[in-house]
Amino acid sequence: MDKISEFRLGDMLVRYVLDEEGQAGMELYPAAMERFVEEGRKGRTDPLVQWKKEGDAYPYGFANGMTMRNSESVSQMKYSGQQSWKKEGRVRIATTLSDTQGSRILHILEYRDEDPAFWIWTEFTNAGGKPVTLEMLSSFSLGGITPFAADEAPDRLRIHKIRSKWSAEGRLESRTAGELLLEPSWSRHGVYSDKFGQTGSLPVRGYYPFAAVEDKKRKAVWAACLACPSSWQMELYRRDEALCMSGGIADYDFGHWRKELKPGESFRTVPAAVTVCRGDVDTASQRLTKLWKIADGGELPVIFNEFCTTWGKPSQENISRILNVLGKRPFRYFVIDAGWYADTVKGWESNMGDWEVCEELFPDGLMTVADQIRDAGFIPGIWFEMEICGKDSKAFWLEDHLLKRNGNVITAGGRRFFDMRDPWTQEYLSEKVIGFLEKYGFGYLKVDYNESIGIGCDGAESLGEGLRQNMQATQEFFRKIRQRLPDLVIEICASGGHRMEPSMIRLCDMVSISDAHEEKEIPVIAANVHRMIPPGQSQIWAVLRSGDTGKRIVYSMANTFLGVMCLSGDVYALSKTQWELVDRGIGFYRAVSPVIRDGHTCFYGTKQKSLRFLKGWQGIVRYSDDKEEALCVIHRFTGSSQQRISLPVGAGYRIKMTYEETDHRIRLENGRLMLELEQDYEAVAAYLVKDVQ
């Protein structure tokens, strides 16, 4: 195996290699660990790009139907050359592969100085004389894992995935390569692929588009995340000593995707964020999230959303009542959620699509209420589920402009889907959504999305390609909103966190991470998604009820210190004592918001087997980037006799501020934060700063 080139990208080293058959591959490891690389290790070069052309042979090794990796298309594609550029703090490495039939693939790696990760994507061009139909094209492919072992690294490799479902987002799943059957066979003939992903328009339903491999002996982690709003797949693959990892758009086997390219046409994949580091999966995942972190250094907002106050029946009357209670508290946004357009009898879930203000709810018009919100000192926000039509709307029957599968309108429960590729749809929604926002002067938009299109739709070469095109058109509409209203703050929500992937996150300002708003598992979910999204863009609700004890209010408020604070609930029925705890929580949040926005999270406590029946405790320590400040948020759950909690925070800190209901004897001893939690479902928080030398 020969070396083509090598690049130092921050603390990462990228090596391009070439085997005797002309196959190019890419290996990656922490630059500080170069001396540990086993140069004489076994294992074939994993090709730089995995792809398959219709008509070519499927892969060997009992793999057909399980994976499309290493098909005949891959074996025919050879290394053609490489160019690299460095300009204005950016590095771009372009590697060209080609075959004798006119297929050409450009593999692009792009890195920005100081970033802890980089982007990879591929672009296929049909330079031949006949049409070509793609059935698979990867965004990235990494081989040679682990380069720190001369053998197959038994008992060393651990695979990390992040599972996600409605109201149970972000659960880390870790298993050994052996448990996943990712060990080579005795003959090195049979192959195995652990392929996982998602089909449909809810890209974080089932799994988050992320995978990581950890070498436990050398404490090195390789991690990747796809920026994909539609069907996607990740693969962990093994034939010989080296483990391989690849990912991209869901292929024909998995996501019914195929794409025809006429001579001269090209196709580009979704990008993948890739990193390698010394440390653990928590370190690696947060290195990736820095690529979609908003650079704005302003103070994090406090938001009020009335949904868990009015339950889908906002009105001029109840919004006025809420505003009177909120008074001059430091909320930045007041969001009118679902139901402002709805039939008051049939409810908010069946009228989406027409987007006409309900006169019964707003007898003096919506402008009157928007002005009341502004007069109270808040920026008004509004909810839309703009890609959807409800069964009781007139739009539900606009079948010429709705998505179809096999000629039939796709109906999921009581929802249908606008064809976002349709110019009529774009014009209709420009008027109904963008024109509406301009007319009423809304400064905040919450975009919800509560169903999935499924495997795909008509209108392209395949169902999966139809889906991909529709979701690309959806994102173009988001860009149109941003272009028309550059100061608008956009929140994405999809039954909680089902759209919490990089391409959507980068279009918006923040993400609603879960619908488990009033549940006791919220602090675990809120902490879990630190591996998926920067906390300064992660919206967490505290739903306050008139029957809440002081302990419960502190528990709920402390949850919001793990992201962006959003309040809702029985605010007009809270007592003075309850409001004092809420106001203290708001003050604490505002003090620590720089650490929430810019920092790194460490996780401690009990490994939870069930989100619905939490045991033990959780401790989150988030350090500012310069380590001069630290935020500690601790929750106790049930079933633990352990009352004394000890968190390692490091030396040199002092306690600047705490948030608690009663005295929990919070103190610092020998670089550890010590406290005592005696009751189930208690929470405390502490803000630490370094002593001035």
Side-chain angles (χ1 to χ4, degrees):
M1 187 185 303
D2 297 321
K3 182 170 70 173
I4 298 172
S5 59
E6 195 169 82
F7 297 88
R8 175 75 179 258
L9 305 177
D11 61 357
M12 301 171 287
L13 201 62
V14 178
R15 177 185 289 182
Y16 292 85
V17 296
L18 186 68
D19 68 15
E20 61 277 5
E21 297 176 356
Q23 290 283 339
M26 187 176 79
E27 297 181 353
L28 178 66
Y29 41 85
M33 298 180 69
E34 185 177 8
R35 67 187 185 278
F36 298 118
V37 172
E38 294 281 356
E39 297 294 353
R41 65 193 183 278
K42 300 177 182 178
R44 298 177 180 224
T45 297
D46 186 60
L48 193 60
V49 179
Q50 293 292 334
W51 74 292
K52 186 181 180 301
K53 179 176 62 177
E54 184 182 49
D56 282 353
Y58 290 92
Y60 46 71
F62 320 117
N64 188 15
M66 177 175 64
T67 180
M68 287 187 165
R69 286 179 111 263
N70 293 317
S71 67
E72 181 186 10
S73 308
V74 174
S75 64
Q76 292 179 348
M77 189 69 70
K78 309 299 183 183
Y79 172 73
S80 294
Q82 186 178 77
Q83 291 180 303
S84 63
W85 302 265
K86 184 168 185 178
K87 185 178 180 180
E88 297 177 351
R90 291 181 181 270
V91 175
R92 175 175 282 210
I93 307 163
T95 307
T96 304
L97 311 173
S98 60
D99 65 14
T100 59
Q101 301 170 50
S103 297
R104 186 170 68 241
I105 296 178
L106 195 61
H107 176 281
I108 301 291
L109 184 155
E110 189 170 278
Y111 172 76
R112 185 178 61 185
D113 283 353
E114 308 301 326
D115 277 349
F118 50 83
W119 293 103
I120 296 178
W121 66 90
T122 60
E123 184 173 312
F124 181 94
T125 299
N126 180 6
K130 299 178 180 179
V132 169
T133 298
L134 299 177
E135 295 184 324
M136 177 196 187
L137 182 63
S138 68
S139 295
F140 80 99
S141 189
L142 290 177
I145 304 174
T146 170
F148 309 121
D151 56 11
E152 60 195 66
D155 301 322
R156 286 174 56 171
L157 298 182
R158 193 166 181 83
I159 315 301
H160 303 279
K161 308 173 186 177
I162 297 176
R163 287 185 175 268
S164 212
K165 74 166 191 173
W166 183 69
S167 293
E169 293 83 357
R171 185 180 183 92
L172 182 67
E173 175 184 88
S174 304
R175 301 179 71 182
T176 66
E179 289 171 332
L180 294 173
L181 298 181
L182 289 168
E183 293 178 311
S185 66
W186 60 271
S187 68
R188 305 302 192 256
H189 175 64
V191 305
Y192 191 75
S193 170
D194 180 40
K195 179 159 61 173
F196 67 98
Q198 185 281 143
T199 54
S201 52
L202 292 173
V204 189
R205 179 187 60 174
Y207 284 100
Y208 174 59
F210 165 91
V213 181
E214 178 183 5
D215 180 338
K216 294 188 293 181
K217 179 179 178 180
R218 288 299 183 189
K219 295 182 171 54
V221 182
W222 295 259
C225 182
L226 297 167
C228 184
S230 53
S231 301
W232 59 268
Q233 67 186 41
M234 286 282 195
E235 287 194 69
L236 286 307
Y237 175 95
R238 195 78 176 265
R239 181 182 181 183
D240 52 27
E241 280 72 12
L243 183 67
C244 307
M245 176 168 64
S246 61
I249 299 165
D251 61 29
Y252 188 67
D253 279 357
F254 189 71
H256 208 283
W257 181 81
R258 61 171 63 180
K259 175 72 177 175
E260 181 180 301
L261 298 173
K262 296 180 174 61
E265 290 185 335
S266 298
F267 177 79
R268 177 180 289 188
T269 66
V270 298
V274 179
T275 193
V276 68
C277 65
R278 302 187 78 167
D280 58 16
V281 65
D282 299 332
T283 302
S285 61
Q286 291 177 76
R287 285 168 67 96
L288 293 176
T289 66
K290 289 186 182 298
L291 292 190
W292 42 95
K293 180 178 179 294
I294 293 176
D296 178 23
E299 182 180 296
L300 295 180
V302 183
I303 302 164
F304 185 86
N305 184 302
E306 51 71 36
F307 186 77
C308 291
T309 307
T310 72
W311 292 116
K313 291 187 178 181
S315 67
Q316 181 175 332
E317 179 183 1
N318 57 35
I319 290 174
S320 297
R321 185 182 178 193
I322 295 168
L323 290 172
N324 287 335
V325 172
L326 296 185
K328 297 300 180 181
R329 289 184 168 88
F331 293 93
R332 189 181 304 175
Y333 305 106
F334 185 106
V335 183
I336 302 171
D337 210 285
W340 55 268
Y341 50 84
D343 184 301
T344 56
V345 175
K346 294 179 178 178
W348 71 270
E349 289 192 276
S350 58
N351 288 84
M352 305 84 65
D354 296 339
W355 305 121
E356 297 169 357
V357 177
C358 176
E359 295 181 359
E360 184 179 348
L361 293 173
F362 299 94
D364 295 329
L366 187 60
M367 185 66 81
T368 298
V369 174
D371 286 340
Q372 287 178 339
I373 294 171
R374 281 186 281 266
D375 291 343
F378 312 136
I379 297 171
I382 197 77
W383 179 99
F384 273 92
E385 192 175 357
M386 61 197 187
E387 301 148 72
I388 299 291
C389 308
K391 62 182 177 63
D392 293 321
S393 68
K394 296 187 289 290
F396 193 79
W397 302 103
L398 296 171
E399 296 191 2
D400 288 345
H401 307 293
L402 303 180
L403 291 179
K404 301 178 179 65
R405 185 181 303 136
N406 301 324
N408 301 307
V409 175
I410 300 171
T411 306
R415 283 174 163 81
R416 289 177 170 177
F417 306 88
F418 277 119
D419 187 340
M420 298 298 290
R421 303 163 295 183
D422 184 347
W424 181 92
T425 298
Q426 290 281 328
E427 186 63 30
Y428 176 81
L429 292 179
S430 293
E431 176 188 344
K432 289 290 188 177
V433 178
I434 304 175
F436 180 96
L437 296 169
E438 290 175 326
K439 175 182 177 180
Y440 291 102
F442 284 103
Y444 186 105
L445 170 64
K446 177 177 179 178
V447 181
D448 212 338
Y449 188 75
N450 292 302
E451 257 306 340
S452 174
I453 292 167
I455 199 166
C457 55
D458 295 344
E461 304 94 314
S462 60
L463 295 177
E465 174 61 8
L467 172 69
R468 189 196 68 83
Q469 291 179 6
N470 187 78
M471 303 319 297
Q472 292 298 315
T474 293
Q475 293 193 329
E476 284 302 315
F477 188 75
F478 272 87
R479 294 184 185 97
K480 184 185 294 185
I481 295 173
R482 185 70 79 193
Q483 184 178 22
R484 289 263 296 268
L485 298 166
D487 296 326
L488 184 73
V489 171
I490 303 177
E491 170 200 342
I492 53 170
C493 179
S495 293
H498 281 140
R499 269 185 166 170
M500 194 165 26
E501 57 80 28
S503 73
M504 291 301 300
I505 294 170
R506 296 169 83 191
L507 286 173
C508 305
D509 300 281
M510 66 184 75
V511 178
S512 178
I513 63 159
S514 183
D515 277 351
H517 298 315
E518 298 191 61
E519 302 308 310
K520 292 178 179 178
E521 56 263 34
I522 272 291
V524 179
I525 296 171
N528 283 347
V529 302
H530 282 210
R531 301 183 181 101
M532 305 161 71
I533 180 173
Q537 293 153 246
S538 173
Q539 188 177 125
I540 302 164
W541 287 33
V543 178
L544 309 168
R545 295 300 176 202
S546 59
D548 284 349
T549 63
K551 181 180 74 168
R552 173 65 194 195
I553 286 178
V554 170
Y555 187 96
S556 298
M557 292 296 292
N559 298 340
T560 68
F561 305 158
L562 298 172
V564 178
M565 177 182 285
C566 181
L567 303 187
S568 193
D570 304 337
V571 291
Y572 39 68
L574 298 181
S575 69
K576 180 181 178 181
T577 300
Q578 290 171 316
W579 265 117
E580 287 174 352
L581 282 172
V582 172
D583 291 337
R584 280 177 48 208
I586 293 174
F588 184 92
Y589 164 80
R590 297 183 74 192
V592 301
S593 71
V595 187
I596 299 171
R597 187 189 62 238
D598 302 313
H600 176 83
T601 300
C602 297
F603 302 77
Y604 302 97
T606 309
K607 183 175 177 59
Q608 300 299 329
K609 296 181 179 180
S610 166
L611 283 178
R612 296 296 294 149
F613 302 95
L614 300 172
K615 304 292 184 182
W617 62 283
Q618 173 179 277
I620 297 300
V621 181
R622 184 163 176 84
Y623 297 96
S624 61
D625 285 338
D626 60 9
K627 291 289 187 77
E628 292 295 311
E629 303 168 277
L631 166 63
C632 306
V633 183
I634 304 97
H635 287 77
R636 173 176 162 148
F637 308 124
T638 64
S640 175
S641 59
Q642 181 179 357
Q643 296 181 0
R644 294 183 179 180
I645 305 295
S646 173
L647 286 179
V649 295
Y653 289 103
R654 63 178 174 83
I655 298 173
K656 183 175 182 178
M657 185 184 299
T658 61
Y659 180 63
E660 55 185 337
E661 182 200 12
T662 58
D663 183 13
H664 294 88
R665 294 171 286 285
I666 303 174
R667 60 203 182 274
L668 287 167
E669 294 181 3
N670 300 318
R672 304 185 75 87
L673 184 73
M674 313 292 289
L675 60 134
E676 297 177 24
L677 293 177
E678 299 177 352
Q679 300 181 54
D680 290 346
Y681 297 109
E682 276 192 298
V684 300
Y687 175 29
L688 313 181
V689 296
K690 283 285 182 75
D691 284 324
V692 178
Q693 299 298 321

